[in-house]
Amino acid sequence: FFPSVQSVVIRDIWEGLLHFSPVVAECLTTLTTKDGALPQGAKTSTALANLVFWREEPGLVAYLRSKGIEYTRFIDDINCSSKAVLTRFELADVVRRIHSMCAKYSLRLKRSKHKVFMSGMRMLTTKLVVNRKVSLPQEERSAIRGAVKKLEVNAQTEQNKSTLWYGRQFRSLSGKVGKLKRFHPNEGAELRERLRAISPR
């Protein structure tokens, strides 16, 4: 998503939405884009990505809300939800309108990533399960537990714990355990204790 957002769109945010003068908007655009697009990983990119559709999104949100459909988006993850079951025509209308909005910014949606979840199915939003309460998918939780076990095995050889590789693995895994702990406190606390026992030298 990020490299597909062109600098002309970012300039429109600085000048059209945030009301900077043309000269300042051009300077800010230069500072927050790279090679004519929004760079992946820059601290400013997420905030700007969330403002990309500022001209079109409010109208789309109002239209969908009038149909009893709630629209949410985080960067490039767009979700629509309804308490009522939508007909095929209504679903097609929602998808068509989102495609139309994206096309105005030269952005295309991947049809392979379109998903429709019905009541009783596992519902995923921004890679989180959101049915009754927000949680991580079971497969991601299992992968984190498996990675902790694997690092514990590596930690049994004492010199491994002083290597740069081990330190990187530990920090990466610590972040994943922190994410898990936000949604599954007991499981996360147990994994955090196991990590403390094998911290790098």
Side-chain angles (χ1 to χ4, degrees), residues 117-123 131-132:
F117 301 108
M118 298 296 186
S119 177
M121 296 170 62
R122 186 176 76 158
M123 298 181 185
N131 287 60
R132 291 196 181 107

PDB file of all heavy atoms in Angstrom, residues 117-123 131-132:
ATOM      1  N   PHE A 117     -17.471 -12.665   6.099  1.00  0.00           N
ATOM      2  CA  PHE A 117     -17.668 -13.511   7.274  1.00  0.00           C
ATOM      3  C   PHE A 117     -19.109 -13.382   7.735  1.00  0.00           C
ATOM      4  O   PHE A 117     -19.612 -12.269   7.891  1.00  0.00           O
ATOM      5  CB  PHE A 117     -16.739 -13.082   8.418  1.00  0.00           C
ATOM      6  CG  PHE A 117     -15.275 -13.144   8.062  1.00  0.00           C
ATOM      7  CD1 PHE A 117     -14.548 -11.987   7.862  1.00  0.00           C
ATOM      8  CD2 PHE A 117     -14.629 -14.360   7.938  1.00  0.00           C
ATOM      9  CE1 PHE A 117     -13.206 -12.036   7.541  1.00  0.00           C
ATOM     10  CE2 PHE A 117     -13.288 -14.425   7.619  1.00  0.00           C
ATOM     11  CZ  PHE A 117     -12.566 -13.258   7.426  1.00  0.00           C
ATOM     12  N   MET A 118     -19.740 -14.497   7.959  1.00  0.00           N
ATOM     13  CA  MET A 118     -21.113 -14.516   8.455  1.00  0.00           C
ATOM     14  C   MET A 118     -21.135 -14.858   9.945  1.00  0.00           C
ATOM     15  O   MET A 118     -20.152 -15.359  10.499  1.00  0.00           O
ATOM     16  CB  MET A 118     -21.945 -15.554   7.689  1.00  0.00           C
ATOM     17  CG  MET A 118     -22.066 -15.280   6.206  1.00  0.00           C
ATOM     18  SD  MET A 118     -22.953 -13.728   5.886  1.00  0.00           S
ATOM     19  CE  MET A 118     -23.093 -13.795   4.110  1.00  0.00           C
ATOM     20  N   SER A 119     -22.262 -14.593  10.573  1.00  0.00           N
ATOM     21  CA  SER A 119     -22.437 -14.928  11.983  1.00  0.00           C
ATOM     22  C   SER A 119     -22.153 -16.411  12.202  1.00  0.00           C
ATOM     23  O   SER A 119     -22.585 -17.255  11.433  1.00  0.00           O
ATOM     24  CB  SER A 119     -23.873 -14.602  12.415  1.00  0.00           C
ATOM     25  OG  SER A 119     -24.085 -14.985  13.746  1.00  0.00           O
ATOM     26  N   GLY A 120     -21.389 -16.708  13.240  1.00  0.00           N
ATOM     27  CA  GLY A 120     -21.035 -18.086  13.533  1.00  0.00           C
ATOM     28  C   GLY A 120     -19.685 -18.490  12.974  1.00  0.00           C
ATOM     29  O   GLY A 120     -19.130 -19.518  13.354  1.00  0.00           O
ATOM     30  N   MET A 121     -19.138 -17.690  12.052  1.00  0.00           N
ATOM     31  CA  MET A 121     -17.809 -17.961  11.506  1.00  0.00           C
ATOM     32  C   MET A 121     -16.769 -17.188  12.303  1.00  0.00           C
ATOM     33  O   MET A 121     -17.097 -16.207  12.978  1.00  0.00           O
ATOM     34  CB  MET A 121     -17.736 -17.519  10.032  1.00  0.00           C
ATOM     35  CG  MET A 121     -18.656 -18.266   9.097  1.00  0.00           C
ATOM     36  SD  MET A 121     -18.724 -17.508   7.450  1.00  0.00           S
ATOM     37  CE  MET A 121     -17.024 -17.661   6.909  1.00  0.00           C
ATOM     38  N   ARG A 122     -15.502 -17.615  12.217  1.00  0.00           N
ATOM     39  CA  ARG A 122     -14.430 -16.832  12.823  1.00  0.00           C
ATOM     40  C   ARG A 122     -14.233 -15.571  11.995  1.00  0.00           C
ATOM     41  O   ARG A 122     -14.033 -15.641  10.786  1.00  0.00           O
ATOM     42  CB  ARG A 122     -13.128 -17.645  12.855  1.00  0.00           C
ATOM     43  CG  ARG A 122     -12.010 -16.921  13.603  1.00  0.00           C
ATOM     44  CD  ARG A 122     -10.760 -17.764  13.707  1.00  0.00           C
ATOM     45  NE  ARG A 122     -10.044 -17.785  12.448  1.00  0.00           N
ATOM     46  CZ  ARG A 122      -8.741 -18.066  12.339  1.00  0.00           C
ATOM     47  NH1 ARG A 122      -8.055 -18.405  13.403  1.00  0.00           N
ATOM     48  NH2 ARG A 122      -8.155 -18.070  11.163  1.00  0.00           N
ATOM     49  N   MET A 123     -14.324 -14.409  12.633  1.00  0.00           N
ATOM     50  CA  MET A 123     -14.213 -13.137  11.920  1.00  0.00           C
ATOM     51  C   MET A 123     -12.861 -12.498  12.212  1.00  0.00           C
ATOM     52  O   MET A 123     -12.484 -12.313  13.361  1.00  0.00           O
ATOM     53  CB  MET A 123     -15.336 -12.193  12.350  1.00  0.00           C
ATOM     54  CG  MET A 123     -16.710 -12.715  12.041  1.00  0.00           C
ATOM     55  SD  MET A 123     -17.985 -11.547  12.548  1.00  0.00           S
ATOM     56  CE  MET A 123     -19.446 -12.500  12.199  1.00  0.00           C
ATOM     57  N   ASN A 131     -14.775 -11.946  17.085  1.00  0.00           N
ATOM     58  CA  ASN A 131     -16.140 -12.431  17.287  1.00  0.00           C
ATOM     59  C   ASN A 131     -16.752 -11.936  18.595  1.00  0.00           C
ATOM     60  O   ASN A 131     -17.577 -11.029  18.593  1.00  0.00           O
ATOM     61  CB  ASN A 131     -16.176 -13.960  17.235  1.00  0.00           C
ATOM     62  CG  ASN A 131     -15.991 -14.463  15.822  1.00  0.00           C
ATOM     63  OD1 ASN A 131     -14.974 -14.187  15.206  1.00  0.00           O
ATOM     64  ND2 ASN A 131     -16.960 -15.186  15.294  1.00  0.00           N
ATOM     65  N   ARG A 132     -16.392 -12.535  19.720  1.00  0.00           N
ATOM     66  CA  ARG A 132     -16.946 -12.109  21.011  1.00  0.00           C
ATOM     67  C   ARG A 132     -16.023 -11.115  21.686  1.00  0.00           C
ATOM     68  O   ARG A 132     -16.432 -10.117  22.233  1.00  0.00           O
ATOM     69  CB  ARG A 132     -17.164 -13.331  21.908  1.00  0.00           C
ATOM     70  CG  ARG A 132     -18.278 -14.257  21.430  1.00  0.00           C
ATOM     71  CD  ARG A 132     -18.727 -15.214  22.518  1.00  0.00           C
ATOM     72  NE  ARG A 132     -19.767 -16.083  22.020  1.00  0.00           N
ATOM     73  CZ  ARG A 132     -19.599 -17.363  21.741  1.00  0.00           C
ATOM     74  NH1 ARG A 132     -18.413 -17.920  21.899  1.00  0.00           N
ATOM     75  NH2 ARG A 132     -20.594 -18.091  21.295  1.00  0.00           N
TER      76      ARG A 132
END
